[in-house]
Each structure stands twice: as C-alpha cells, then as structure tokens.
Amino acid sequence: MPDNNSQYPTACLLICCPDKPGIVAGVSQFLYQLGANILDASQHSTDPREGLFFMRMEFHLPNMDKTLLEAEFQAKVATPLKMDWQIDYSDHRKKMAIMVSAYDHCLLELLWRWKSGELAVDIPLVISNHQSLEKECSAMDIPFHYIPVTASTKKEQEEKAIRLLEEQQVDFTVLARYMQILSSDFVRRFPQRIINIHHSFLPAFAGAKPYQNAYTRGVKLIGATAHYVTDELDEGPIIEQDVARVSHKHTVDDLVMLGRDIERQVLTRAVKAHINNRVILFGNKTIVF
Amino acid sequence: MPDNNSQYPTACLLICCPDKPGIVAGVSQFLYQLGANILDASQHSTDPREGLFFMRMEFHLPNMDKTLLEAEFQAKVATPLKMDWQIDYSDHRKKMAIMVSAYDHCLLELLWRWKSGELAVDIPLVISNHQSLEKECSAMDIPFHYIPVTASTKKEQEEKAIRLLEEQQVDFTVLARYMQILSSDFVRRFPQRIINIHHSFLPAFAGAKPYQNAYTRGVKLIGATAHYVTDELDEGPIIEQDVARVSHKHTVDDLVMLGRDIERQVLTRAVKAHINNRVILFGNKTIVF
Amino acid sequence: MPDNNSQYPTACLLICCPDKPGIVAGVSQFLYQLGANILDASQHSTDPREGLFFMRMEFHLPNMDKTLLEAEFQAKVATPLKMDWQIDYSDHRKKMAIMVSAYDHCLLELLWRWKSGELAVDIPLVISNHQSLEKECSAMDIPFHYIPVTASTKKEQEEKAIRLLEEQQVDFTVLARYMQILSSDFVRRFPQRIINIHHSFLPAFAGAKPYQNAYTRGVKLIGATAHYVTDELDEGPIIEQDVARVSHKHTVDDLVMLGRDIERQVLTRAVKAHINNRVILFGNKTIVF
Amino acid sequence: MPDNNSQYPTACLLICCPDKPGIVAGVSQFLYQLGANILDASQHSTDPREGLFFMRMEFHLPNMDKTLLEAEFQAKVATPLKMDWQIDYSDHRKKMAIMVSAYDHCLLELLWRWKSGELAVDIPLVISNHQSLEKECSAMDIPFHYIPVTASTKKEQEEKAIRLLEEQQVDFTVLARYMQILSSDFVRRFPQRIINIHHSFLPAFAGAKPYQNAYTRGVKLIGATAHYVTDELDEGPIIEQDVARVSHKHTVDDLVMLGRDIERQVLTRAVKAHINNRVILFGNKTIVF
C-alpha cells in the first residue's frame, strides 16, 4: 500500500460528483499536465438511480504552491464537473485527540501503534473523565486532561473539552471506550470528525451493556463496530466491524475479555482508514477505499 | 470426531440436572458396570446462581436390551440425581423433512451432503409451496409434496403438512428458506424440532428483507443464523451463526448472492449438530457440544 | 460490483506497462473521446525497482467497431506507453471446460453456480477419467467425455483431450479435483488458461495426500489453494486461498470432509475472478483486482 | 470458562493412558469419594490403532493434603490403569520467563495482558540480547537481563540464561520474537517448556525471512504459528495458528505490520492454553482441550 509518509510528499484527493463520462479523464489529465504521478486510485459509482461517482486519487505532489493547485483544480475541474471535493497532503500530519474513560485497552492499542509508527498523526491531548490512565499518557509525553463529568456539570465540562480540542486544532477525535454520551451540541461541532468504538456488532445490541445482552440472547458471534458519531446514539455511519466466535462456555466476563481484542482491531483499522483519507461519507453510510 | 455410524451401534445420552458432586461418577460408573465404553463426553456447568449441569455422553452400546438400559438408568441414576435426560441410538436413523419455497441453494446443499454421506438421516419428504424444485427431489427419489399456501388456505394447508410430517414420523423439519411464517399451532406441535435459516446475523435485521436492510444500514459484515423455531418470529434459540465481509461495492443483489454461501454453511452445521445430538436447549439459548 | 452482463455490453481492459506519469490520463482521455463511460478502475504500481504499472478498466462500450477500437488504442495509447494489454467484452461469453475425476463436490459447485447465473460462461464440455459423474452433467445438458488415462495411454489420451478443448475453442479449463498430473506439453499449450484447486494451503503440503500430511504435522488450520497450472507441480501463480480451523479431534476423514467446503469456496472465487478478467499475471504471482 | 483463580483453589488433572472401559468412571469415582466436584472435563480417544485415551479434568480441590491426594490417586487409579498423569493447582501460580530481541509487539502484548489480569502467572524475569526494551519491563517492575549473544559467546551466554531460569524456578519460557536459535542443549533442558512464535503459517515458510518468502511466493494469506521448541527448528508441536488475508497491494513491510497482529493473537492464545493446563503432547502433535 502506498506510504503517505515517504520521502516526497503526496496529495490525496477525495471527490464526489454526479456520474457522467469524462471524470477520470478530467482529473487525471489535469494532474498529468501539472507533472503529478498518480500513485493509487479507487472509484465507486452508485447505482444509476442515485447516479453518484466517488473517487480517491493519491499522487506525488507536483512542485507547485498548494493554494494555486487547489484554485486551479476548482476552476478547471471541480466547477465544470459539479464536484464536492477535498484534498489532504502527506506533509500535513493530522492531529488526533483521544477521549477515554477507565478501560485501557483501546487507548493503549492506539498509543502503541502510534509509537511504532503505524499511525501517522500527532496526539496533542487525551481527555478522560477518570484519572486512572494519566500515567500511561505521561510516559509517552502526551498531555492528559482530567475532565470529570456529572449530570449537573456535563454542559460546562463538555465546553471545556471542546475548548481544548479547538485550541489544539484537532483534526479528529477518537472515543476509545469513552463511556459518556456526548451532547448534540458537541457532536454537531465536529461532523465526521469523531470516531467511536461500540462493543457490539451494530445494529445488534445498540445502547448499554451489549455483552450482557449478547449473552442473554445466546448469539454465537460477538462483535465490535467503529462508526462516526452522529446525533443518534449508535446510529452513525459504520466504518469497520468484525466478530469473534463464542459459545455457551463463555460467561459475560469472557465476552468482555474476548471483545477487547475485537474492539482494539476494529478501532485501529477505522482510525487508519480515516487518517489515510480512505473514508467518504455517503448519506448515513461510508465508502472505505 | 466419533462416527455415529460405525460398525457397532453407539448411544448418545443428553443430561440436564442440578449441579452437585457425583454426577459424572454416577453416570460413568453405571455405564462401566454395564460394560459400555465411553467414546466422547462433554459437560457444562452454568454459573452457580442457575446451578445447572449439562452433559453429553457417547458410548458403545452394551449388549443389552434398550428398554432395560433406559429403565435401569432411570431408576439408578436419573431419579436419584433429579435428571432430565434423553437417549438416542446410532442405529436409529433420524427422519428429516425439508420445507422449501423457490430458492434452491439450501435445499440442494442439504441434498448433496445427504447423498455424499455427511448427513446420517432419511429424508422421507420435501414440502414446498412452489412446484419449481420437484425435479431436484425426484432425481434423488425423495417424495415431493406441493402444498401451496394463500392467506385463506393457510390453516388447512398447514394441517395437511402436519399430517404428512406425522404420518412419516418425522423427527425434525428443516425450513430451508421456506418463505411462509408457520402458525403458532404448527410450531407448538414440534417443539425444538423445527430448524430455520434466517438470512441475517440475528438479532440484527429480524423480519423481512434483511439483505435490503443490511445494505441500507451500511454494515461491513452480513450473516446468517440457524435457530429453532418458536412462537416469536426470529426469536428462537440460536444454534449457529456466521458472517462474511462486504463493502460499499456490494449491491443488494451481491449481498443476496454472498449470503447464499453463508446460509448454506450455517444451516448445514446446525443440522449436523442436531442430527448428532449435540444441541441442548437451556431457556432460550442452546448449548452446542 | 459492476455487472458484466447488464443490458449494454461493456469492455474490460487489462494493462501492464512501465510506470510513468500520464498513463491513467492517456487511457481515460482516449476512452472519453470515444464516448465511453468508465464503470470501474483499479490500478497497482509495483515497487520502484520493478517500476511496473498495472490497470484494469471497465467501461461502457462506445458505439463503434471493436477492431477499430483496438487498432486505435494500440496506435494512440499502447504503443507510445509501451503497453502489454488485452481487452475482453461482456458480450463475449467465455467457454469454460471442466476436467474432473471421481470427487463430485467441486464439479457440482461449479455447475450449481453456473445454473444459478453466478458464472457467466458456457460450458461446452466436461472431461473425466472416470465415468461416475456423467449423469450429473447430462442432467444439465453438458457433454461429458470419458477419457480414461493409464501410464501407457497418457500421451494419446491427453492429445484427445487437447483436441476436444481446441475444437470447442475453450477459453480456459478448470481442474475440479482432476487427479492426474498434466504433462508439460499439455500445460504449455494453455498458458494461464488452466486453473487447478489444490487441497492444501500452498506452499505447505504440496504434492499428494495433503490432508494426511496436515494431520500428521498437527496443524490447527487446513486450507485450499486455487492456482494457474504451470510446468512445476503446485508451484503456479496463486489466485485464491482460504483456510478453516481444525483440532486434534479431527481424523483424516474429517479433514477431507471439511476441506471439501474450502475447496468449493476457493475454486469458485478463483473462477469468478478469472471470468471477470480480474487476474493479471506478474512473474509467478497474480494481481487480483 | 472455568476460572482457575476464583475464591477456592481448583486442581487440574491431565491424563494419558491406554484406552479401555472404566477410565472416566475410575477417575470420577475417586474424586467423588474425596468430595471433589468436577468443574470441567474434556477427553479424547485416538483412533483404535493408537488406542490412547487423554483427559483433562478440573475440580474443586477437596479439603485434604496435596501429597496425600497425589499418592492415593497414583495407587488407586493411575497404577491400575497404567496412566501417565500430572496435576496442577490453581493456587500454584506459574512462573513465566520471556526472552525477546528488539521487536516489542509480542512482549508488550504479553505484559499488557498480564497486567490486565488475563494471564495468571508471575513474570520473574525478561531476558534479551538487546537493551532496547529494558524501560518497558522496568515500568512494570519486571527484572530485565541483558544477555548479548555472538557466535563466539553463544555457549556461555546460554548458560548464563539457563542459570537465571533455573534460579528463578521458571515453569516455562516464552520466546516473544527472540531472534536467536537456541542450542540443543538449551532446548533439551526444558522439554515442552519453551513456547516460540514463528511468523508464518508453518510448515510453510519455516526458517528465516518468512514474510519475504510469503511475498515472493504470492500467497493470499499470511500466518503465525505458536509451537513448543524442539531440537528441530520450526518443527516442534504446534499449539495455535492463525492467518490474515493479504493481496498484491501489500509490500513486505505491510506483511510485517499485519503479521504483528496475528503474532500477538496467536502467541497469547497459546500461552493462555499452556497456563491453563489445556495442552497435552502426543508425539509431535498437541491436544488442546
């Protein structure tokens, strides 16, 4: 897979527009004339009734001003083809915040992968409503903010968190088993910029206590789901899911333990896809290139 | 795995009783004194609050009368230990009926496995509300009964089906994508004796059109669930489940096509578990040894 | 996924050329000017030392002569960019031959999928060195050729088979558990046009008796591998593989039975990829788009 | 699953003996008379030619002296039935050593699971031929021993390591990506007491550079294998294996990165099985109950 962080910077273009002939030709011709080499391209056409075309194109950045590149792309390609588009550059290192409660497994997984170089982001802060994971963050020189939340303080504490995220110019936030439900105000401030890991195979077992409910129903597989957070609890666009096999032998505690491994894997894959600009929203669904 | 159909017949004992010391000793001592060799044994204790013990024991049948064996087991072991129990013998070949509508994949899978010797059952009849699969059954000399159902004829047609199942002394019935909902009367007549394949990972997408609903929700895995049929639609005890990975590229038709493969596998495994006396009901859940 | 067999024909272009800027632009511009709409495109660049670029592009066929289309593509795009390329059309239905011995599972799986519309091919003939599966083929009106092989007749019998494949202008041949090793002469006549299913996870357990060897080694997963047949036994380019979990409980016979399910799935996926022009050879490896 | 570490201690009995009637009866009767309640039992009979019987039985420890329990079991059960057996107690916390080189992922995975309570062992020491992971061990108060190895110092450095393992009375050692080949002398000193993680799906790609070799061969799945270390490199009894899907898009570096996740999972499962006395050796294979 192409490396976003190799020697020379690359750019990644995400496009959505009405499907019609000439889109690939238009974009690739534009890039070719600037001297950009396409490294990877993926595309998807929805069914004809919807008539939409999506594309992700990664290319070596030509030797030119980014502002100029974007202005020319808008004028010569995007406007004529009625495109929604965004561009990201591999020399722009995204800023990822993490919010966590007391369970450590998702946080530690992200930190280990970050330290090992798998996640090409900066982590300017971790926010938690518990103090228990401060030491793990300090050991990696990541600022840890303890922001406890009660029913009566929720509004002001959320504002405190929002202020921190905005001060740090965070690109996106990962809820790594953050056990508080964010308010609509919070969520709407960061559309498609908050990723949550839910500990069930959604839409099965939405809401609280999914492992308990999976046990009670007697399912033979348990799962985890990473999704963008929207106003409706556990209803946001799904980025990634996976499952593991269980049996009558497993107690609820066993499910929780097994589930941790799925949560770690699923959240990691979703975060990587987001970092590498592989996810495009389409209604309440995702296209993951 | 032990072979139910080897040269000498074997017996399979399923037990449920209050958990207390001495159960394994009691059963195994009883069998040893009769000269029976235990071939396979599995057990499960529920958590202490429920306090139940389940066991499956397979053994070479001693050279004795089955009626006597059962009477002695009742008197010497089952009564003292307050057991619910049942016994099945490998020289009793179960009778399996199949009910099917127009989709052929689950029926053909079962028939192929039956013909290849994987399913040690007799198939005295197939019932369908369509005529389209008659030829496939005739080719294997399996009687095919066309029993169309309309809203107004449902009651009498179900009675016709029940009569056939009872005349043939069917042990259990497989709904191999039978697209009619059986009435409570039908279901109650055959408790834990009707296996259905549902084309979703239950409890997600119960009811009609699960692939359409999976597509709309944008899940990244689709599944299938084999369960015993109870009065409540798609709520019966789950025997087996599995999933396959999908993406934004898959249309609803693709999901249907991929789903067929999961349905075939999941239904087969559930039917094999039932045939081999590996399933014990416990509330609305199954223990699958 | 795009449907090769929808109302209007589509074309599928496979390309391999030295990697350099302008390839996507060149091809897509060419197609755009002809009025062709790109339906799906996948590309792959090897690492810079190899410096190769591969692309698969599927498009609605413009209203023009195929010979002319191909000549123009050669002159305007392929020659300047030093391309190896091939094109296939959805209104060209490939001809698939099947060679099989006595095991029925892979043959029946292919026939069932063909009949259900999953495999968009014609099957002009089945060749077998046993007579046992004739009835299954006749039932679907597929000509069955019994060509027994012994050490002394191998050469002439292979020639008979080759003659049949050539008379029928077969596009590719599937060895659906054909238990004879084809001679070099045979194999070289049909490069990248013979697909075999090997009953192990290659390169583990190449050669004969893979399930026996897997049992002896005590592996915890067994597998199957679909690959193009080359001169070197079980060494050809791998198209698809999969595995299933096993344990100490499984006898060799159990492995054989479980393996059948993996073989069926893996062979099906490989055959579909080949039919849909998704496989490009690159040295002894495959790119499967 | 039964919890080895609940309030009251439990015992776990592993048995191998010639298969004949009365074994389950004999053992369970013996335990019943002592007042022990059986919590979990698994058994396996090999095929009749080998004629061996294996059993794992977990029970609440009766209120009696362990030495006496073992002496009585030997006299009353094991000797008459010609058993090889061993017993372990949940109040005996095993001592696990870890040997590691410079890759951190397997070590950190084990340490995290240990800290989270998943692995019921003590870790008296970590031995490494590199200094790089000292800090990670110190942070958890685990003694770290730096024992560099060169061709000329191998013998004496191995002796130093052996001395440490013996001084600490280590029960078993995990090679968590320890990149040195242990000498025969070392291996023979700890039979079935050294677990290695090999970064391929053995027997495919034994020896050095398995990811490079998997890349070159073009396999579609990569794997990892946990096995007991024996005299023959990568040929020891396999405890656990798993795989992940890969494609032509993955570079060797990608395979290494993906492989880390499989290695972590597979090694963890193997170590858990060993800790919980679920593994019995049988020739060069394992029975994992």
Side-chain angles (χ1 to χ4, degrees):
Chain A
M1 284 168 186
D3 182 3
N4 271 335
N5 300 291
S6 59
Q7 209 172 346
Y8 300 101
T10 60
C12 183
L13 190 60
L14 295 182
I15 284 168
C16 170
C17 64
D19 198 2
K20 53 174 279 194
I23 304 169
V24 178
V27 176
S28 58
Q29 193 68 20
F30 172 83
L31 292 175
Y32 177 53
Q33 283 162 358
L34 296 179
N37 192 23
I38 297 171
L39 298 168
D40 195 32
S42 309
Q43 61 175 76
H44 176 61
S45 304
T46 62
D47 78 59
R49 278 160 306 173
E50 290 160 338
L52 290 175
F53 177 88
F54 297 90
M55 188 162 66
R56 178 185 184 275
M57 216 172 235
E58 205 171 334
F59 51 94
H60 272 305
L61 206 54
N63 187 9
M64 77 182 289
D65 183 73
K66 286 173 188 169
T67 315
L68 185 61
L69 171 71
E70 295 175 23
E72 297 229 328
F73 183 77
Q74 181 65 54
K76 294 186 179 162
V77 183
T79 300
L81 289 164
K82 299 192 173 62
M83 282 179 180
D84 285 333
W85 63 284
Q86 58 183 93
I87 194 164
D88 192 28
Y89 304 94
S90 66
D91 56 4
H92 161 245
R93 210 170 156 83
K94 286 194 185 71
K95 290 181 182 172
M96 173 175 89
I98 302 174
M99 294 179 79
V100 67
S101 293
Y103 295 122
D104 67 354
H105 56 288
C106 287
L107 175 73
L108 293 183
E109 186 73 18
L110 291 174
L111 295 185
W112 172 75
R113 290 190 190 265
W114 171 72
K115 200 182 144 200
S116 74
E118 282 190 29
L119 306 181
V121 291
D122 291 326
I123 306 179
L125 77 163
V126 168
I127 294 172
S128 180
N129 59 333
H130 290 77
Q131 285 181 291
S132 49
L133 295 169
E134 175 153 23
K135 194 179 144 197
E136 280 74 6
C137 295
S138 309
M140 296 201 187
D141 297 320
I142 297 169
F144 179 92
H145 299 266
Y146 170 52
I147 306 186
V149 177
T150 64
S152 62
T153 65
K154 178 161 180 166
K155 197 174 162 55
E156 61 184 294
Q157 295 299 71
E158 279 202 343
E159 273 162 20
K160 198 185 287 184
I162 290 170
R163 216 151 45 230
L164 281 168
L165 297 175
E166 291 183 340
E167 276 170 19
Q168 294 294 335
Q169 296 177 285
V170 157
D171 287 286
F172 70 106
T173 300
V174 178
L175 308 184
R177 299 298 308 275
Y178 182 68
M179 309 303 279
Q180 299 286 324
I181 296 171
L182 298 180
S183 70
S184 289
D185 282 352
F186 196 128
V187 170
R188 284 182 197 155
R189 192 89 63 113
F190 304 100
Q192 202 195 346
R193 289 169 59 196
I194 308 176
I195 296 172
N196 183 47
I197 180 73
H198 182 77
H199 40 317
S200 86
F201 178 77
L202 289 173
F205 310 123
K209 296 194 177 297
Y211 291 124
Q212 176 66 57
N213 292 332
Y215 177 81
T216 302
R217 181 62 185 92
V219 290
K220 302 301 184 186
L221 299 167
I222 57 164
T225 303
H227 63 94
Y228 288 114
V229 177
T230 59
D231 240 15
E232 299 192 58
L233 186 65
D234 300 332
E235 292 287 336
I238 293 169
I239 308 169
E240 174 64 345
Q241 303 187 287
D242 215 337
V243 295
R245 191 158 280 273
V246 298
S247 79
H248 61 273
K249 288 191 194 168
H250 294 87
T251 63
V252 174
D253 286 348
D254 291 327
L255 300 188
V256 168
M257 190 167 72
L258 272 170
R260 288 199 297 240
D261 289 346
I262 321 172
E263 294 168 33
R264 293 197 290 163
Q265 289 279 338
V266 167
L267 181 58
T268 295
R269 284 187 232 138
V271 167
K272 282 189 180 182
H274 184 91
I275 292 173
N276 294 325
N277 303 298
R278 296 195 170 277
V279 190
I280 303 185
L281 274 195
F282 164 48
N284 198 45
K285 296 161 69 168
T286 62
I287 291 159
V288 183
F289 283 125
Chain B
M1 287 168 183
D3 183 3
N4 270 336
N5 300 291
S6 60
Q7 210 171 344
Y8 300 101
T10 60
C12 183
L13 189 61
L14 296 181
I15 284 167
C16 169
C17 64
D19 198 1
K20 52 174 279 193
I23 304 169
V24 178
V27 176
S28 58
Q29 194 69 19
F30 172 83
L31 292 174
Y32 177 53
Q33 281 162 0
L34 295 180
N37 192 24
I38 297 171
L39 298 167
D40 194 32
S42 309
Q43 61 175 76
H44 175 62
S45 303
T46 62
D47 77 61
R49 279 162 304 173
E50 289 160 339
L52 289 176
F53 176 88
F54 297 90
M55 188 163 65
R56 177 185 185 275
M57 216 171 236
E58 207 171 334
F59 52 94
H60 272 305
L61 206 53
N63 187 9
M64 76 182 288
D65 184 73
K66 286 174 189 169
T67 315
L68 184 61
L69 171 71
E70 294 173 24
E72 298 230 327
F73 184 77
Q74 181 66 54
K76 294 187 179 163
V77 182
T79 300
L81 290 165
K82 299 191 173 65
M83 283 178 178
D84 284 334
W85 64 284
Q86 58 182 93
I87 193 164
D88 192 28
Y89 304 94
S90 65
D91 56 4
H92 161 245
R93 211 171 155 83
K94 287 194 184 72
K95 290 182 182 170
M96 173 175 88
I98 302 174
M99 295 179 78
V100 66
S101 293
Y103 295 122
D104 67 354
H105 56 288
C106 287
L107 174 74
L108 292 183
E109 185 74 17
L110 291 175
L111 294 185
W112 172 75
R113 291 191 189 264
W114 171 72
K115 201 183 145 201
S116 74
E118 282 190 31
L119 306 182
V121 291
D122 291 327
I123 305 180
L125 78 163
V126 168
I127 294 172
S128 180
N129 59 333
H130 290 78
Q131 286 182 290
S132 49
L133 295 168
E134 176 154 22
K135 195 181 144 197
E136 280 75 4
C137 296
S138 308
M140 297 201 187
D141 297 320
I142 297 169
F144 179 92
H145 298 266
Y146 170 53
I147 306 186
V149 177
T150 64
S152 62
T153 65
K154 178 161 180 167
K155 197 173 162 53
E156 61 183 293
Q157 295 298 72
E158 279 202 345
E159 272 162 21
K160 197 185 288 184
I162 290 169
R163 216 153 42 230
L164 281 168
L165 297 174
E166 291 183 340
E167 276 169 19
Q168 294 294 336
Q169 296 178 286
V170 157
D171 288 285
F172 70 105
T173 300
V174 178
L175 308 185
R177 299 298 308 276
Y178 182 68
M179 310 303 279
Q180 299 286 323
I181 297 172
L182 298 180
S183 71
S184 289
D185 282 352
F186 196 128
V187 170
R188 284 182 197 155
R189 192 89 63 114
F190 305 99
Q192 202 195 344
R193 289 169 60 196
I194 308 176
I195 296 172
N196 184 46
I197 179 75
H198 183 78
H199 40 317
S200 85
F201 178 77
L202 290 173
F205 311 122
K209 296 193 177 297
Y211 291 125
Q212 176 66 57
N213 292 333
Y215 177 81
T216 302
R217 181 63 185 93
V219 290
K220 302 300 184 188
L221 300 168
I222 57 164
T225 303
H227 63 94
Y228 287 114
V229 176
T230 59
D231 239 17
E232 299 191 57
L233 186 65
D234 300 333
E235 292 287 336
I238 294 169
I239 307 168
E240 174 63 346
Q241 303 187 287
D242 215 337
V243 294
R245 190 158 281 274
V246 298
S247 79
H248 61 274
K249 288 190 195 170
H250 294 88
T251 63
V252 174
D253 285 348
D254 292 327
L255 299 188
V256 168
M257 189 167 73
L258 271 170
R260 288 199 295 240
D261 289 347
I262 321 172
E263 293 167 34
R264 294 196 290 162
Q265 289 278 338
V266 166
L267 181 58
T268 295
R269 283 186 233 137
V271 167
K272 281 189 181 184
H274 184 91
I275 291 172
N276 294 325
N277 304 298
R278 297 196 168 276
V279 191
I280 303 184
L281 274 194
F282 164 48
N284 198 44
K285 297 161 68 169
T286 61
I287 291 160
V288 183
F289 283 126
Chain C
M1 285 169 188
D3 182 3
N4 271 335
N5 301 292
S6 59
Q7 209 170 346
Y8 301 101
T10 60
C12 183
L13 189 60
L14 296 181
I15 285 168
C16 169
C17 64
D19 198 2
K20 53 175 277 193
I23 304 169
V24 178
V27 177
S28 59
Q29 193 69 19
F30 171 83
L31 292 174
Y32 177 54
Q33 281 163 358
L34 296 179
N37 192 24
I38 296 171
L39 297 168
D40 194 32
S42 310
Q43 60 175 77
H44 176 61
S45 304
T46 63
D47 77 61
R49 279 161 306 173
E50 289 160 337
L52 290 175
F53 177 88
F54 297 90
M55 188 161 68
R56 178 186 184 277
M57 216 171 234
E58 208 172 332
F59 52 93
H60 273 305
L61 205 54
N63 186 8
M64 76 182 288
D65 183 73
K66 285 172 189 171
T67 314
L68 185 61
L69 170 72
E70 294 174 24
E72 298 229 328
F73 184 77
Q74 181 65 55
K76 294 187 179 161
V77 183
T79 300
L81 290 165
K82 299 191 174 62
M83 282 179 180
D84 285 332
W85 64 284
Q86 58 183 91
I87 194 164
D88 192 29
Y89 304 94
S90 66
D91 56 4
H92 161 245
R93 210 170 156 84
K94 287 195 184 71
K95 290 182 182 170
M96 174 175 88
I98 302 174
M99 295 178 78
V100 67
S101 293
Y103 295 122
D104 67 354
H105 57 287
C106 287
L107 174 74
L108 294 183
E109 185 74 17
L110 291 174
L111 295 185
W112 172 74
R113 291 192 190 263
W114 171 72
K115 201 183 145 200
S116 74
E118 282 190 30
L119 306 182
V121 291
D122 291 327
I123 305 179
L125 79 163
V126 168
I127 294 172
S128 181
N129 59 333
H130 290 77
Q131 284 182 292
S132 48
L133 296 168
E134 176 154 23
K135 195 179 144 197
E136 279 76 4
C137 296
S138 310
M140 296 201 187
D141 297 320
I142 296 170
F144 179 90
H145 299 266
Y146 170 52
I147 306 187
V149 178
T150 64
S152 62
T153 64
K154 179 160 179 168
K155 197 173 160 55
E156 61 184 293
Q157 296 299 71
E158 279 203 342
E159 272 161 23
K160 198 184 287 182
I162 290 170
R163 216 151 46 228
L164 282 168
L165 297 174
E166 291 183 340
E167 278 169 19
Q168 293 295 335
Q169 296 178 284
V170 158
D171 288 285
F172 70 106
T173 300
V174 178
L175 308 185
R177 297 301 306 276
Y178 182 67
M179 309 302 279
Q180 298 287 323
I181 296 172
L182 298 179
S183 70
S184 289
D185 283 352
F186 196 128
V187 170
R188 284 183 197 154
R189 194 88 65 112
F190 305 100
Q192 203 195 345
R193 289 169 59 197
I194 308 177
I195 296 172
N196 183 47
I197 179 74
H198 182 78
H199 40 318
S200 85
F201 178 78
L202 289 174
F205 311 121
K209 296 194 177 298
Y211 291 125
Q212 176 66 57
N213 293 332
Y215 177 80
T216 302
R217 181 64 186 92
V219 290
K220 302 301 185 186
L221 301 167
I222 57 165
T225 303
H227 63 94
Y228 288 114
V229 177
T230 60
D231 240 15
E232 300 191 57
L233 185 66
D234 300 334
E235 292 288 336
I238 294 169
I239 307 168
E240 174 66 343
Q241 304 187 287
D242 215 337
V243 294
R245 192 158 279 274
V246 298
S247 79
H248 61 273
K249 288 191 196 169
H250 294 88
T251 64
V252 174
D253 285 349
D254 292 328
L255 299 188
V256 168
M257 190 166 74
L258 271 170
R260 288 199 296 241
D261 290 347
I262 321 172
E263 294 167 34
R264 294 197 289 164
Q265 289 278 338
V266 166
L267 181 59
T268 295
R269 283 188 232 138
V271 167
K272 282 189 179 180
H274 183 92
I275 292 172
N276 294 326
N277 304 299
R278 296 196 169 276
V279 190
I280 302 184
L281 273 195
F282 164 47
N284 198 44
K285 297 160 68 169
T286 62
I287 292 159
V288 183
F289 282 126
Chain D
M1 285 168 186
D3 182 2
N4 271 334
N5 301 291
S6 60
Q7 209 171 346
Y8 300 102
T10 60
C12 183
L13 189 60
L14 296 182
I15 283 168
C16 169
C17 64
D19 199 1
K20 53 175 277 191
I23 305 169
V24 178
V27 176
S28 59
Q29 193 68 19
F30 171 82
L31 292 174
Y32 177 53
Q33 282 164 358
L34 296 179
N37 192 24
I38 296 171
L39 298 168
D40 194 31
S42 310
Q43 60 174 78
H44 176 61
S45 304
T46 63
D47 76 61
R49 279 161 305 173
E50 290 160 337
L52 289 175
F53 177 88
F54 297 89
M55 188 163 66
R56 177 185 184 277
M57 215 171 237
E58 206 172 334
F59 52 94
H60 273 305
L61 205 55
N63 188 9
M64 77 182 290
D65 184 72
K66 286 172 190 171
T67 314
L68 185 60
L69 171 71
E70 294 175 24
E72 298 229 328
F73 184 76
Q74 181 64 54
K76 294 187 180 162
V77 183
T79 299
L81 289 164
K82 300 192 173 64
M83 282 179 178
D84 285 333
W85 63 285
Q86 57 182 92
I87 194 165
D88 191 29
Y89 303 94
S90 66
D91 56 5
H92 162 245
R93 210 171 156 81
K94 287 195 185 71
K95 290 182 182 170
M96 173 175 88
I98 302 174
M99 294 178 79
V100 67
S101 293
Y103 295 121
D104 67 354
H105 56 289
C106 286
L107 175 74
L108 293 183
E109 186 74 17
L110 291 175
L111 294 185
W112 173 73
R113 290 192 191 263
W114 171 72
K115 200 183 145 199
S116 74
E118 282 190 30
L119 307 182
V121 291
D122 291 327
I123 305 180
L125 79 164
V126 169
I127 293 173
S128 181
N129 59 333
H130 289 77
Q131 285 182 290
S132 48
L133 296 169
E134 177 155 21
K135 194 179 146 198
E136 279 76 5
C137 295
S138 308
M140 297 199 186
D141 298 320
I142 296 170
F144 179 91
H145 298 267
Y146 170 51
I147 306 187
V149 177
T150 64
S152 62
T153 64
K154 179 161 180 168
K155 198 172 161 55
E156 61 184 295
Q157 296 299 71
E158 279 202 344
E159 272 161 23
K160 199 184 285 183
I162 291 170
R163 216 152 43 229
L164 282 168
L165 297 174
E166 291 183 341
E167 277 170 19
Q168 294 294 336
Q169 295 177 285
V170 158
D171 288 286
F172 69 106
T173 300
V174 178
L175 307 185
R177 296 300 307 275
Y178 182 69
M179 309 301 279
Q180 299 287 322
I181 297 172
L182 298 180
S183 71
S184 289
D185 282 353
F186 195 128
V187 170
R188 284 182 196 155
R189 194 87 65 113
F190 304 100
Q192 202 194 347
R193 289 169 60 195
I194 308 177
I195 296 172
N196 184 47
I197 179 74
H198 182 78
H199 40 316
S200 85
F201 178 75
L202 290 173
F205 311 122
K209 297 194 176 298
Y211 291 125
Q212 176 66 56
N213 292 333
Y215 177 81
T216 303
R217 181 64 185 93
V219 290
K220 301 300 184 187
L221 299 167
I222 57 165
T225 303
H227 63 94
Y228 288 115
V229 177
T230 59
D231 239 16
E232 299 192 57
L233 186 65
D234 299 333
E235 291 288 336
I238 294 169
I239 308 168
E240 173 64 344
Q241 305 188 286
D242 215 337
V243 295
R245 191 158 279 275
V246 297
S247 80
H248 61 273
K249 287 191 196 168
H250 294 88
T251 64
V252 175
D253 285 350
D254 292 327
L255 300 189
V256 169
M257 190 166 75
L258 271 170
R260 288 199 296 240
D261 290 347
I262 320 172
E263 294 166 34
R264 294 197 289 164
Q265 290 278 338
V266 167
L267 181 59
T268 295
R269 283 187 232 137
V271 167
K272 282 188 180 182
H274 184 91
I275 292 173
N276 294 325
N277 304 298
R278 296 196 169 276
V279 190
I280 303 185
L281 275 195
F282 164 47
N284 197 44
K285 297 161 67 169
T286 61
I287 292 159
V288 184
F289 282 127

